[in-house]
Amino acid sequence: MKIAILITLLSLFLSLVSLRAAADRPNIVFIFTDDHAPHAISAYDGWLKNVRATPTIDKLAAEGMIFINSFCTNSICGPSRAVIQTGKHSHKNGFMNNGNSFDWDQQTFPKLLQKAGYQTAMYGKSHLKGQPQGFDSWAVLPGQGLYYNPDFITPEGNVTIEGYCTDLVTDMAVDFITEKRDHDKPFMLMMQHKAPHRNWMPALRHLDLYDNVVLPEPDTLFDNWSDNASAARNQELEIDRHMHLNYDLFVDLTPDFEDPTPDQPADRSAWRNMERMTPEQMKVWRAAYGPRDAALHAANLKGKDLVRWKYQRYAKNYLRTLVGVDESVQRIQDTLKEQGLDENTIVIYSSDQGFYIGDHGWFDKRWMYEESLKMPFIVKWPGVTKPGSRDHHLIQNLDYAETFLDIAGAVIPSDMQGASLVPLLKGEKPADWRKSIYYHYYEYPSVHMVPRHNGIRSQRYKLMHFYQFDEWEFYDLKEDADELHNLYNDPEYADQIAHYKKELQALVEKYEDDSDTSVKPKQWQYEVRDRG
Ligand code: SGN
Ligand code: CA
């Protein structure tokens, strides 16, 4: 009898302990944007740092830990997100390029967090197609989504909501924290904004920001890619030749500047978005851009002057959309505080890849060059991350899933391919941390025409292989941060190159990348290359 009472008491005690442990486990708020280059965040110290477009994100870094050497595995939207969901490289999770569909039936970290007792939610851009699995609450944009008055796919069907996308997604996240949250469980919330993705449409309240400012230009705005492999000369992502005045920059090209309406075919500027605007929204939009367009037409710019003008219009819109994101980050943190959750919630800021903001004369991403290889990764974990700390270990989006599971005290499956970042967040310096990262991009031929390539990056060196054309690039990042001097044919580096070729092969084997790299381009793709 006594033993039975003892057992009952013991099991009561144990279940109380485990409930307590569940309550103590931190909540995770993962704020994720689309195409936010680290060098547009002042805390990253890039050439745009003095613009200070994102003071809240900078403050998050000052209060938490910023990862300087944070990289993606495949610099494109859907693939980056699939890597995050699974903790596996693209060739393992099956989502190699945006044309693929994600197999939601596979193992993902949100499903494992649910099993571990977390309530999970995702709002905003998913870009993985299909109905999300592993979330107790979700609403996602179809495909790229729209900036104004967007549609959302929800478990109950499609809805269209009037407003600006960043604000609407934030509303959903705030509603989750304040209304939908299960008070008996820790939660993991993914708030995934469309901004600052092409075509960079700001909220109406931000249209006049930076109007009287001349933004600094990147040093490489007029790069002519003379030292690169042929790929860099044959892409289609130049501000000069491929950024369209109307489609990308909303310049009114209609005769006599008559008021364009969304159904006017001549005005196809960001047509998918513009045609969604209400007449009131359109009026505010035109009032902001109309006079600037007129000034452009009057100036009749050509050549480099026109490139400079396009860069200013583009970069300003990009940064304006980020001011909207920054306000969202503030709102989420205010909500956590109001709800008394700020001390037990980890706030993470990241984006699916980096981006060219005129660097090398480009926009978009895809390449393994620094600007698009890098991802922002900033973590504030109250009581764990040392305020203002800067970590330089090589980390990747491949590590996020394991990190989240580790935080939750859940078992990390052995088939995940990354590493938990928890030791780094605690300020430890693991001696056996990876010395290099592996990269593989597949989407070719496709929009922007960046050929397939894979490669390896260490703290100092980078080796890239455009295997379809069998062309290589090698950079010493310490001496040449802008990657302007391809050392592949420099005999002085022959030993280093041989070493990194071996290391690259070792990574291919380690990650079991059995992708067919013998696939050769079609004749017309050679012709495109030879054009340059
Ligand atoms: C769209 C964009 C491209 C962009 C891809 C992929 N064009 O096609 O500029 O590279 O998405 O972006 S747009 O006119 O539709 O904006 S990704 O971030 O989703 O991978
Ligand atoms: Ca993206």
Side-chain angles (χ1 to χ4, degrees), residues 32-36 75-78 80-81 98 125 127 144 194 197 351-355 364-365:
F32 196 63
T33 48
D34 197 350
D35 297 356
H36 191 178
S75 183
I76 184 97
C77 185
S80 174
R81 290 150 199 263
N98 279 339
K125 184 169 169 185
H127 214 192
Q144 297 286 3
K194 169 182 173 62
H197 192 273
S351 189
D352 57 356
Q353 3 71 204
F355 212 66
D364 213 67
K365 51 264 180 174

Side-chain angles (χ1 to χ4, degrees), residues 6-22:
L6 212 64
I7 290 174
T8 319
L9 281 176
L10 191 70
S11 63
L12 195 71
F13 173 73
L14 284 177
S15 61
L16 277 177
V17 167
S18 76
L19 258 183
R20 176 88 213 282

Side-chain angles (χ1 to χ4, degrees), residues 250-491:
F250 322 110
V251 175
D252 183 358
L253 299 178
T254 55
D256 305 324
F257 309 113
E258 74 246 28
D259 243 6
T261 57
D263 56 3
Q264 228 172 335
D267 186 78
R268 58 179 202 113
S269 63
W271 57 272
R272 289 189 316 274
N273 285 280
M274 305 286 274
E275 70 182 354
R276 267 299 166 92
M277 284 183 167
T278 63
E280 295 76 32
Q281 289 169 335
M282 182 64 96
K283 212 168 141 208
V284 181
W285 185 270
R286 295 309 311 168
Y289 288 103
R292 299 174 202 166
D293 295 354
L296 170 70
H297 287 289
N300 196 23
L301 302 173
K302 297 268 181 304
K304 284 191 175 178
D305 291 337
L306 183 57
V307 172
R308 292 202 153 98
W309 186 94
K310 287 167 86 177
Y311 160 73
Q312 291 289 330
R313 166 81 72 110
Y314 155 51
K316 285 179 186 180
N317 281 343
Y318 181 85
L319 294 173
R320 287 167 183 143
T321 68
L322 285 170
V323 175
V325 166
D326 201 63
E327 290 175 357
S328 162
V329 178
Q330 185 65 54
R331 259 185 83 197
I332 289 300
Q333 293 193 94
D334 290 347
T335 307
L336 291 172
K337 203 167 180 140
E338 276 158 31
Q339 298 288 314
L341 294 166
D342 52 325
E343 286 303 319
N344 197 31
T345 302
I346 305 174
V347 178
I348 302 172
Y349 185 82
S350 181
S351 189
D352 57 356
Q353 3 71 204
F355 212 66
Y356 299 90
I357 314 167
D359 314 83
H360 300 289
W362 293 335
F363 63 100
D364 213 67
K365 51 264 180 174
R366 298 161 191 269
W367 303 103
M368 198 190 164
Y369 304 120
E370 292 293 270
E371 293 84 355
S372 55
L373 177 66
K374 287 190 171 169
M375 299 169 74
F377 195 69
I378 299 172
V379 184
K380 180 185 173 186
W381 185 351
V384 176
T385 46
K386 188 167 160 251
S389 46
R390 295 171 86 79
D391 184 281
H392 287 86
H393 289 90
L394 304 174
I395 70 157
Q396 287 192 286
N397 49 350
L398 188 67
D399 303 323
Y400 299 0
E402 286 175 53
T403 305
F404 296 144
L405 294 172
D406 199 4
I407 289 169
V411 176
I412 297 173
S414 59
D415 60 351
M416 286 191 172
Q417 298 184 305
S420 165
L421 302 173
V422 169
L424 308 185
L425 294 167
K426 289 180 175 166
E428 294 166 12
K429 301 199 176 344
D432 57 350
W433 195 259
R434 66 168 74 87
K435 303 281 183 287
S436 57
I437 57 136
Y438 180 59
Y439 181 87
H440 197 158
Y441 170 82
Y442 302 83
E443 196 175 298
Y444 184 80
S446 178
V447 58
H448 301 304
M449 294 299 280
V450 172
R452 290 179 178 216
H453 55 294
N454 67 354
I456 177 171
R457 187 203 192 277
S458 67
Q459 287 278 0
R460 178 161 178 180
Y461 297 103
K462 184 185 291 181
L463 178 72
M464 302 161 66
H465 189 201
F466 294 91
Y467 51 81
Q468 288 171 286
F469 300 101
D470 198 22
E471 290 184 77
W472 296 80
E473 294 184 19
F474 186 74
Y475 295 100
D476 178 346
L477 301 167
K478 193 170 166 216
E479 300 296 329
D480 177 25
D482 284 337
E483 298 166 291
L484 295 172
H485 307 292
N486 176 14
L487 303 169
Y488 188 71
N489 292 316
D490 186 333

